[in-house]
Amino acid sequence: MIATHIRQAWQLLRQNKLFSTIYIVGTALAIASTTIFAIIYYVKLTPVYPESNRYRMATIDRVEQKDDWSSMQSSLSYSSIGQFKNNLKSAELISAYQRLWGGNRMTFNDGRRDRNVTLRPTDTAFFKIFNYDFLAGAPFSDVDFESGVRKAVISDRLAEEVFGSVDEAVGKTVTVDFRKYDVCGVIREGSAINRHSFADVIIPYTVFDNYAGNNDPDTYTGKYKILLLTDDLPAVQAEIKEMERKYESSHPGKELNFWNQPQSAAIDALGIDPVDEDFDLGKFVRYNFLVLLTLLLVPALNLSGMIAGRMESRSGELGVRKSFGATDGSLMSQVLWENLILTVIGGAIGLGLTWITLSTDATFVLSIIGEKWFDFNSAATVRLTPDMMFAPAIFLFAFGVCIVLNLLSAALPAWLALRRPIVKSLK
Amino acid sequence: MSTIIKLTDVSKIYRTKTIETQALDSVNLDINTGEFVSIMGPSGCGKSTLLNIIGLLDKPTTGTVELCGRTAEGLKDKALARLRNETLGFVFQSFHLIPTLSVLDNVTVPLIYRPGSRNNRKLALEALDKVGLSHRVHHMPSQLSGGQAQRVAIARAIVGNPSIVLADEPCGNLDSKMSGEIMDLLHSLNREDGRTIVMVTHNEDQARATDRIIHFFDGRRVE
């Protein structure tokens, strides 16, 4: 029976070219717009390269320190990194990187124009938290880090742009903010959507003279972000609370506040403010699901109107089928199947549109939809690799959206048409 | 001969907010197995309403309908659909072929709604062979003449081997030559296969060629 439905859907498609084209284009646009969001969230939330430890990763972004006269919120101090390493026993690995404000300029001495780069001053644990593919060379070592040697790991895209190829880069020098760095490794670039792991140039933060700030153990505010790996996030959060309690008991009149940090990488990627201690993930997901449904409802209503018109013209057919023994259920199933075929064709085109658009200029597309992925002032363009765009989850999502769109657009007109008495349908 | 269609005190009233129309008024009717019956009468006398009620396409306001010894009263939609599928075949004046299906797929329609039906394609080809259209199986309805379209409709009506064929002015849209061919076909289905045929017609010649003529006037049977 399904084969007959498919044959008929194909005939309907051929015989009603205008209807089919409008329907398919409408569906394609709806699928494309929702799939772009799906790809962004897929890249943000699942363990894509190089964030393969994402389900175990957590972040500490901000701290608040206040007393009777002042209050300060900012990133974390160098000394706090040591405090975390001493106190967070449930964290398997802790890394920190400096948050830089303002653009970082790469300059060339061969007449080429300067360019912005995303510079990531960090430590060696950074390369254990993120599993970068080293296409050439290796990360800077613990000794390099401790001694503040100016070494740099650069992205393959930058290596190709600056040196012509990945293989040529190691051993050469790059100049960022008028400091020269010896390239020690080249990594396969991740996506700029992932603001922690993405970088054009990764260097030891110890190259900066003032990397330790005042190094006062009682000062928690500074310029670092903390990344950690753990299998027991609540335990780490409890350990942080204990740090707060100890600080406040030994510093009467002062307050230290990490809110509900560390946040899981997922919560962090969703841009949830750590200050929002009442945040409810379930509510957030439900809300966004409703937003998605509402977004789909608009094209679904348009498509529904078109289908209602077509059901009117197919009224006789429904009457004939009922005369020969079709039940309302079997006819509803037929209409949904036929429509699903059109929707799936639209969905496939929508997926294709998504891929073409994102492959051509993902940065532009994401800027249109207001997606903020830049942590720093950078010339980074968003690269989405095939494993991100062609992930089975994306196919499943797109197919799911097709089903929802199909049900939303076809079920009501079909139901209304099927309620009509057979005799009226046959007139 | 046994009664295959039995209508007892069947009335049908159509009501709107402002008007009430009595389409059928206490109709009693027995049709025997293997009979070829014509229903005649002026337009609006209730012929088609009667056929729709016999075909379980419409429900009587009062009275009962029995087909093949099974009463239709109280049956849910699903059971009515099953009874239609198993016992009835329809031939409509305007053919009502599905324009997006090939001839073969059109003929297969009743079989796809029959649970457990097998060899649908073979049965459809046999039905088309019977109406002399085995060479048109892959054509679309728009590629057929009126006579051919009605033959396909007849093939569709008999493919499920129903005991009863209901034909609502089957030659109403055909010229006299094609009408003759269709009537010959219906007579052969009646004679050779023993199918009961109930036909609504305005054509006296066609009606005279059937076993019995039932006249209707203002929703009532008249002798």
Side-chain angles (χ1 to χ4, degrees):
Chain A
M1 194 188 289
I2 289 167
T4 312
H5 295 339
I6 292 172
R7 271 205 303 278
Q8 187 168 7
W10 180 244
Q11 284 299 334
L12 280 168
L13 192 151
R14 288 178 57 192
Q15 291 181 8
N16 303 287
K17 287 196 176 84
L18 181 64
F19 170 89
S20 304
T21 307
I22 294 172
Y23 189 93
I24 287 170
V25 169
T27 307
L29 291 175
I31 298 286
S33 55
T34 47
T35 308
I36 286 174
F37 281 100
I39 290 176
I40 292 167
Y41 280 97
Y42 179 79
V43 175
K44 278 182 168 186
L45 299 176
T46 62
V48 295
Y49 173 82
E51 303 198 6
S52 52
N53 288 319
R54 190 175 267 167
Y55 293 152
R56 299 172 59 228
M57 195 177 101
T59 61
I60 305 172
D61 188 73
R62 272 195 288 166
V63 65
E64 181 184 49
Q65 236 179 331
K66 58 183 178 182
D67 55 29
D68 293 341
W69 296 280
S70 63
S71 166
M72 187 164 176
Q73 267 189 38
S74 81
S75 300
L76 294 115
S77 66
Y78 174 75
S79 62
S80 69
I81 301 169
Q83 303 269 27
F84 290 136
K85 284 182 179 170
N86 289 333
N87 289 288
L88 304 185
K89 305 294 181 200
S90 304
E92 181 188 315
L93 196 64
I94 294 175
S95 171
Y97 69 82
Q98 269 191 23
R99 180 168 195 159
L100 300 178
W101 297 100
N104 302 105
R105 302 290 289 173
M106 177 171 276
T107 47
F108 305 93
N109 54 12
D110 58 2
R112 276 186 281 176
R113 290 186 64 171
D114 298 359
R115 59 159 285 177
N116 276 0
V117 289
T118 300
L119 185 67
R120 184 59 42 93
T122 185
D123 51 25
T124 52
F126 191 76
F127 296 101
K128 292 176 183 144
I129 287 190
F130 300 121
N131 289 319
Y132 291 105
D133 288 345
F134 272 83
L135 305 178
F140 48 81
S141 65
D142 288 332
V143 175
D144 295 334
F145 176 76
E146 295 300 336
S147 55
V149 171
R150 286 185 186 173
K151 286 202 172 175
V153 171
I154 64 172
S155 71
D156 54 346
R157 180 152 44 168
L158 188 69
E160 280 163 13
E161 190 184 315
V162 176
F163 303 110
S165 78
V166 167
D167 299 331
E168 294 290 316
V170 176
K172 298 270 175 58
T173 303
V174 290
T175 306
V176 181
D177 298 338
F178 307 106
R179 286 191 180 91
K180 287 184 187 297
Y181 296 89
D182 293 331
V183 176
C184 61
V186 179
I187 53 166
R188 180 160 70 85
E189 186 186 291
S191 175
I193 292 176
N194 293 326
R195 61 195 177 95
H196 295 305
S197 60
F198 177 79
D200 296 309
V201 182
I202 305 171
I203 58 169
Y205 59 68
T206 49
V207 300
F208 299 125
D209 297 336
N210 63 343
Y211 72 90
N214 63 10
N215 210 5
D216 171 8
D218 288 338
T219 302
Y220 281 84
T221 53
K223 54 193 170 188
Y224 289 90
K225 283 186 174 291
I226 309 298
L227 306 170
L228 57 89
L229 290 186
T230 180
D231 290 323
D232 192 351
L233 184 59
V236 181
Q237 286 168 332
E239 287 164 353
I240 290 258
K241 288 287 171 214
E242 180 60 16
M243 281 176 71
E244 286 176 359
R245 193 194 62 75
K246 276 185 185 167
Y247 174 86
E248 286 167 9
S249 62
S250 60
H251 298 79
K254 291 190 174 180
E255 253 182 66
L256 181 66
N257 202 346
F258 290 103
W259 303 284
N260 49 5
Q261 296 178 99
Q263 287 180 305
S264 68
I267 299 286
D268 177 66
L270 292 172
I272 309 304
D273 192 337
V275 177
D276 182 6
E277 290 186 285
D278 296 328
F279 174 72
D280 178 347
L281 182 62
K283 201 172 164 186
F284 179 87
V285 170
R286 282 194 298 277
Y287 172 79
N288 281 282
F289 183 70
L290 274 177
V291 169
L292 177 70
L293 270 185
T294 312
L295 280 175
L296 285 176
L297 202 59
V298 177
L301 283 174
N302 286 325
L303 298 175
S304 192
M306 291 175 66
I307 292 170
R310 187 159 77 157
M311 293 311 295
E312 187 69 33
S313 65
R314 292 181 68 188
S315 169
E317 176 192 336
L318 296 181
V320 169
R321 287 183 182 274
K322 280 188 179 180
S323 307
F324 285 103
T327 58
D328 285 355
S330 61
L331 288 176
M332 175 64 91
S333 150
Q334 179 195 336
V335 173
L336 292 180
W337 265 104
E338 287 171 9
N339 213 55
L340 183 64
I341 289 158
L342 284 180
T343 314
V344 166
I345 293 172
I349 293 172
L351 266 182
L353 264 178
T354 307
W355 291 328
I356 291 168
T357 318
L358 290 180
S359 306
T360 309
D361 195 347
T363 311
F364 176 68
V365 175
L366 299 185
S367 68
I368 290 174
I369 60 175
E371 179 62 22
K372 296 185 182 72
W373 63 93
F374 295 122
D375 206 12
F376 314 119
N377 178 15
S378 164
T381 51
V382 177
R383 180 187 278 187
L384 293 169
T385 52
D387 60 311
M388 294 171 181
M389 292 205 286
F390 300 101
I394 299 298
F395 280 98
L396 277 177
F397 173 83
F399 186 66
V401 171
C402 283
I403 301 273
V404 173
L405 198 60
N406 181 42
L407 287 174
L408 285 175
S409 61
L412 184 64
W415 181 73
L416 289 173
L418 290 171
R419 282 182 65 200
R420 182 177 295 180
I422 306 175
V423 176
K424 278 193 177 172
S425 298
L426 288 170
K427 274 185 178 165
Chain B
M1 254 189 228
S2 60
T3 302
I4 194 165
I5 299 169
K6 185 175 180 65
L7 270 62
T8 310
D9 270 334
V10 167
S11 295
K12 180 71 183 177
I13 300 168
Y14 292 109
R15 290 190 178 93
T16 65
K17 280 180 186 169
T18 52
I19 199 163
E20 194 170 274
T21 309
Q22 178 116 29
L24 291 176
D25 186 4
S26 300
V27 175
N28 290 292
L29 177 67
D30 286 354
I31 295 174
N32 293 328
T33 304
E35 253 193 309
F36 192 155
V37 175
S38 297
I39 298 172
M40 294 194 75
S43 295
C45 71
K47 305 184 297 292
S48 293
T49 302
L50 179 77
L51 208 65
N52 289 336
I53 284 173
I54 294 172
L56 310 176
L57 304 180
D58 205 355
K59 287 182 179 170
T61 309
T62 57
T64 57
V65 180
E66 279 179 49
L67 298 180
C68 304
R70 292 157 72 185
T71 179
E73 198 175 8
L75 289 182
K76 296 259 170 67
D77 285 349
K78 207 169 175 178
L80 283 173
R82 183 93 186 255
L83 190 55
R84 273 197 298 272
N85 180 268
E86 288 171 353
T87 58
L88 294 161
F90 296 88
V91 180
F92 303 101
Q93 180 179 353
S94 49
F95 324 134
H96 276 314
L97 296 181
I98 298 169
T100 47
L101 294 182
S102 69
V103 163
L104 185 65
D105 285 337
N106 261 289
V107 176
T108 312
V109 164
L111 301 176
I112 62 178
Y113 299 117
R114 182 165 297 180
S117 176
R118 289 180 183 177
N119 301 322
N120 291 358
R121 188 182 158 85
K122 183 171 166 274
L123 292 171
L125 286 170
E126 282 172 8
L128 281 166
D129 191 40
K130 196 157 204 159
V131 299
L133 277 179
S134 51
H135 60 296
R136 289 275 194 265
V137 289
H138 298 302
H139 283 61
M140 299 304 284
S142 58
Q143 297 169 306
L144 303 175
S145 68
Q148 287 172 331
Q150 197 60 299
R151 282 167 180 271
V152 174
I154 291 170
R156 179 177 63 184
I158 61 170
V159 70
N161 197 24
S163 315
I164 304 162
V165 172
L166 303 176
D168 191 359
E169 299 190 51
C171 305
N173 283 353
L174 303 177
D175 62 31
S176 59
K177 183 170 175 283
M178 283 181 180
S179 296
E181 288 174 7
I182 294 300
M183 286 310 297
D184 288 346
L185 194 52
L186 290 174
H187 279 288
S188 78
L189 292 176
N190 172 246
R191 273 194 311 271
E192 291 164 21
D193 300 348
R195 267 181 243 283
T196 306
I197 299 180
V198 182
M199 176 178 74
V200 166
T201 182
H202 283 289
N203 186 309
E204 291 208 5
D205 291 339
Q206 288 170 6
R208 267 197 296 273
T210 63
D211 299 334
R212 182 154 61 115
I213 302 173
I214 299 168
H215 290 277
F216 267 79
F217 189 78
D218 279 352
R220 290 183 181 191
R221 229 181 122 175
V222 289
E223 299 303 328

